[in-house]
Amino acid sequence: MAAVRALGWLLFGLFLLYLVLPMLAPVVYSFSQMWLGLLPEGFTLAWYRRILQDPRYLEAALLSLRIALLAVLLNVAVGVPTAYVAYTWTGRVGEGLRRLLQVLPLLVPPLVVGLGFLLAFNRPPLALSGTFWIVVFGHAALGFPFFFRTVYAGLAGIEVRLLMEAAQASGAGLLARMRYVLLPNLLPAVLSGSLVAFAISMGEFEVTSMVAGFGTVTLPLLLFQSLREDFRAASAVASLLLYTTLLALLGLALLRRR
């Protein structure tokens, strides 16, 4: 029994190393002076200084930040009412809608989303392909299922039906119930879903590369271009994207603890 448990821990450790090692390699490479053998040599911040001094990286980072924030706002505006309707909708139709929206991330790959946006928004009066806004809509579409799942779980956790019925019995109107009952109790779930959608948008590449124009170069797109020019700088950019994702996950963990 002890041997089986030890074998299980060993396999778990190897699998964890298999997952973590590829993500840590760019970080280690971005701080090293050279890496010719098994282990890197030297420590330097030169590659981070290089990308910070290059205006292309700053412009791409600010553009990615704008797109991510707008995608999050769009998800909040659409996702909260959708989750509320799906949660309160009874019957087979409501159950089918809930199941569809919850498994949507597994059904639609990003390449299919990008192709769909190209076909749907390539002709007047919806000729948005190659514009800034088509990238925002694409990022919002990718983040929406994850935002919806988080908000829906929040609705289920606070038993929103009982709260709304109690507020209605106390004489509160619809707007008052939404403002003073639903939104304050749902705020942690909305913030958690927003952090997840933000992290997805900041690192998104597939849909962006398909629908963005030449004037819309996000940080992941610039990272891909940098692989041909300067692999060290590309590693530093990849590390910055990883730091952003980790900060979002840390914020998510703190929200869940509260």
Side-chain angles (χ1 to χ4, degrees):
M1 193 66 178
V4 174
R5 182 177 298 179
L7 179 61
W9 279 108
L10 177 62
L11 293 177
F12 175 74
L14 292 175
F15 181 70
L16 187 63
L17 182 64
Y18 169 78
L19 291 178
V20 174
L21 189 61
M23 292 187 291
L24 291 181
V27 178
V28 175
Y29 193 61
S30 66
F31 286 108
S32 63
Q33 294 180 350
M34 62 179 62
W35 196 350
L36 301 177
L38 180 62
L39 298 176
E41 300 178 11
F43 176 84
T44 181
L45 296 175
W47 320 120
Y48 288 94
R49 286 196 296 267
R50 178 176 298 181
I51 64 175
L52 291 177
Q53 293 172 356
D54 192 334
R56 297 180 304 164
Y57 292 102
L58 179 59
E59 293 174 1
L62 293 177
L63 181 62
S64 295
L65 184 61
R66 285 175 55 200
I67 292 174
L69 292 176
L70 289 172
V72 168
L73 291 176
L74 190 58
N75 274 325
V76 172
V78 177
V80 174
T82 303
Y84 180 76
V85 170
Y87 182 78
T88 56
W89 199 345
T90 58
R92 294 183 178 180
V93 177
E95 183 65 24
L97 178 64
R98 288 191 289 272
R99 290 183 178 181
L100 175 64
L101 292 175
Q102 287 182 0
V103 301
L104 202 58
L106 305 177
L107 297 180
V108 185
L111 288 176
V112 176
V113 175
L115 180 60
F117 271 77
L118 279 178
L119 296 176
F121 298 102
N122 199 34
R123 301 172 182 83
L126 299 176
L128 297 176
S129 294
T131 65
F132 169 82
W133 288 105
I134 193 66
V135 180
V136 174
F137 295 149
H139 285 209
L142 289 177
F144 173 81
F146 300 94
F147 180 86
F148 171 85
R149 290 164 64 92
T150 306
V151 174
Y152 184 85
L155 288 170
I158 63 175
E159 297 183 355
V160 66
R161 289 194 185 95
L162 295 178
L163 291 176
M164 297 294 278
E165 290 175 0
Q168 185 178 9
S170 301
L174 178 60
L175 294 179
R177 296 198 300 270
M178 292 291 180
R179 180 178 178 182
Y180 296 108
V181 178
L182 178 63
L183 293 180
N185 286 281
L186 197 59
L187 184 59
V190 173
L191 292 177
S192 299
S194 299
L195 287 174
V196 174
F198 178 83
I200 292 173
S201 177
M202 286 297 295
E204 209 292 313
F205 173 78
E206 294 174 286
V207 172
T208 310
S209 63
M210 296 178 68
V211 303
F214 294 103
T216 307
V217 181
T218 61
L219 199 56
L221 290 182
L222 187 58
L223 166 61
F224 182 75
Q225 297 174 8
S226 301
L227 290 175
R228 304 176 181 179
E229 303 172 2
D230 192 340
F231 203 82
R232 303 286 187 120
S235 298
V237 175
S239 300
L240 290 176
L241 290 174
L242 179 60
Y243 303 153
T244 303
T245 302
L246 291 177
L247 286 175
L249 293 177
L250 179 60
L252 181 60
L254 292 176
L255 285 174
R256 287 182 175 177
R257 288 188 62 182
R258 290 178 63 88

